[in-house]
Amino acid sequence: MSALVGNQRVDAEEESYETDYPRVLSVQSHVVSGYVGNRAAVFPLQILGFDADCINSVQYSNHTQYPAVKGQVMQGHELLDLVEGLKGNNLVDYDYLVTGYIGSESFLSSVLDVISTIQSVNSAVKYVCDPVLGDEGVCYVPAALIEIYKSRVIPLAYMITPNQFEAELLTGIKIIDEQSAIAAMIKLFDLGPTVVVLSSAEFPDVSPGKLFCYTLMRDKSEPDKYHISRVIVNKMDGKYTGTGDCTTVLMLAWMHRTNEDTSSSLLNSISTVQGILSKTRERMLRSGVVAGQGSPRSSTVPMDEEARLKKMRLMRYSELCIIPGKRYIEYPPIEKLSLSVVEW
C-alpha cells in the first residue's frame, strides 16, 4: 500500500510518523455511539501521527439522524473555562486548531477567543475551519451563524472545508457546474483563508452519479493564478454521516505531511474516505441493510414502530467503519482514483 507525497508514491516502510508529533486541538461534536465529529476526527489524526486533544461542543448519545437522541450542549463560557485550564498549565501551544459543528452564536464567539489565546502562545498556529451549516438544502444551525463565519471566523482560517450547500450559503452563488463551483471557491478565498476545500459537490444536470471534490489556493510559482485540484468519485447509494468531519482532518494531516501539496492531500484524503465508505457498504450488505431504507434524512413525518426500528437499524449499520478502515487511513488506496489539476 502507498500514499501520494508530491509526485511520488511512498511505500509504508519508507514513511515514518514517529519523528514529528504536531499538536491539534479539535473542537467538534461528540457521540457516545457512532462516528461523527470528534469520533470521526481524532482517530485518523492519531493514526497519522498527530497528538490530538479534543473538546466536545455537544455530547449526544448518537447522531441526530437516529429516531431518538439525548445529550448535552456545551456553552461558550464552559469552552473558555477548559481553555483557561489548559493555558494555566502551558498546554495551549497547539500547532493546529480545527472546529466542526457549532450550534450557537455564543459558542462560535468563544471560538474566536480560543484562537486568540492559542495565537498568544504560538503565532504560527493554523486554524482549520469546517463551517458546518447544513447539507442537501437543510440548515442545521441558526442563520445568524452564516454572517459570523463570513465576517469574523473564515478571515482567521488557514483552511476551510465547506460542502456544496455550505459554500452556497456563504457566497450566495448557486453551484450547478464546475465553473460556478470555482467561482464560489474564489469568493471564499477572497475572505482570507490560504486554502479552500470544496469537500463535495454534485452537478446532476451535467454529470449525474458523480461527486466532485476540489482544493483551491494560490499557485506557488505563479501567485497571480490559482492552483485548483479536482478528484471525481462515483456517488454511493445511501446517506453517510461524518464523512465531512473525516475529510477535514485528513486534509489537515496530509497538508502538513506533504508540505502543502494540495493535489496529493486531496487525493489521499478522498481515497481514504472512499475506502472507509466501501468498508461501510460491505458491512451494510452483510447485515442485510439496504441503503435508502427508512424515512428520508430530513423527514419530520411521525414513524410507526416498524419504521422506527428500520431506521434505527439503517443508522447503526451506516455508521462509518473508521476502525476497520484503519489501513485506508495509513495507506490511502490512491490507485482507485484519478486526480486532475484545473488551470484558472
Side-chain angles (χ1 to χ4, degrees), residues 123-159:
S123 61
V125 63
K126 292 181 177 179
Y127 171 40
V128 177
C129 173
D130 181 4
V132 179
L133 301 171
D135 198 9
E136 297 182 344
V138 179
C139 197
Y140 304 154
V141 301
L145 266 62
I146 298 171
E147 186 57 38
I148 297 175
Y149 272 113
K150 288 169 58 178
S151 62
R152 300 176 61 194
V153 178
I154 291 176
L156 300 177
Y158 158 69
M159 179 165 64

Side-chain angles (χ1 to χ4, degrees), residues 159-160 162 185 188-189 193-198 214-217:
M159 179 165 64
I160 61 172
M185 286 191 291
L188 289 169
F189 181 87
T194 301
V195 184
V196 176
V197 181
L198 186 58
Y214 297 90
T215 58
L216 178 146
M217 69 181 299

Side-chain angles (χ1 to χ4, degrees), residues 50-166:
F50 289 76
D51 184 4
D53 294 342
C54 61
I55 293 177
N56 302 324
S57 59
V58 301
Q59 178 166 270
Y60 289 155
S61 55
N62 41 263
H63 69 67
T64 57
Q65 299 307 314
Y66 280 84
V69 60
K70 296 289 184 179
Q72 303 81 37
V73 177
M74 176 176 280
Q75 302 302 313
H77 71 273
E78 295 172 319
L79 169 64
L80 296 180
D81 282 346
L82 290 175
V83 174
E84 187 65 26
L86 293 170
K87 183 180 179 182
N89 292 294
N90 296 328
L91 294 173
V92 292
D93 55 338
Y94 291 103
D95 300 291
Y96 292 92
L97 169 68
V98 58
T99 59
Y101 175 78
I102 294 170
S104 70
E105 295 178 55
S106 64
F107 196 94
L108 189 54
S109 296
S110 295
V111 166
L112 297 172
D113 293 333
V114 173
I115 296 171
S116 179
T117 298
I118 298 174
Q119 286 177 333
S120 70
V121 176
N122 177 16
S123 61
V125 63
K126 292 181 177 179
Y127 171 40
V128 177
C129 173
D130 181 4
V132 179
L133 301 171
D135 198 9
E136 297 182 344
V138 179
C139 197
Y140 304 154
V141 301
L145 266 62
I146 298 171
E147 186 57 38
I148 297 175
Y149 272 113
K150 288 169 58 178
S151 62
R152 300 176 61 194
V153 178
I154 291 176
L156 300 177
Y158 158 69
M159 179 165 64
I160 61 172
T161 61
N163 61 31
Q164 180 174 359
F165 178 63
E166 290 158 349

Side-chain angles (χ1 to χ4, degrees), residues 30 55 65 84 87 100-101 121 128 135 155 168 214 223 247 253 281 289 297 337-338 342-343:
H30 171 79
I55 293 177
Q65 299 307 314
E84 187 65 26
K87 183 180 179 182
Y101 175 78
V121 176
V128 177
D135 198 9
E168 291 175 341
Y214 297 90
T247 300
R281 288 284 293 148
V289 174
R297 185 171 193 162
L337 296 180
S338 62
V342 182
E343 297 293 337

